Amino acid sequence: MVRLLKALIFLVIVGFIGLVGFAYLGDLTPEQSEMRESLTLDVD
């Protein structure tokens, strides 16, 4: 039971380190592009 608990704590710590590393090093910025669309306004 103690080995299982140690393994679980180890996995949580490694997962947290991986998450922090991905947050700092991962490139999650969206691609930006300019979009233009012409439209006709019908004004009476």
Side-chain angles (χ1 to χ4, degrees):
M1 187 69 181
V2 175
R3 284 179 27 192
L4 182 63
L5 187 60
K6 285 182 181 180
L8 183 63
I9 291 172
F10 175 75
L11 287 175
V12 167
I13 291 171
V14 169
F16 181 73
I17 290 171
L19 182 66
V20 170
F22 182 73
Y24 279 112
L25 301 176
D27 185 20
L28 298 176
T29 57
E31 295 181 15
Q32 295 181 356
S33 62
E34 183 176 336
M35 297 178 61
R36 292 180 182 228
E37 186 174 333
S38 61
L39 66 112
T40 304
L41 296 176
D42 295 327
V43 179
D44 292 328

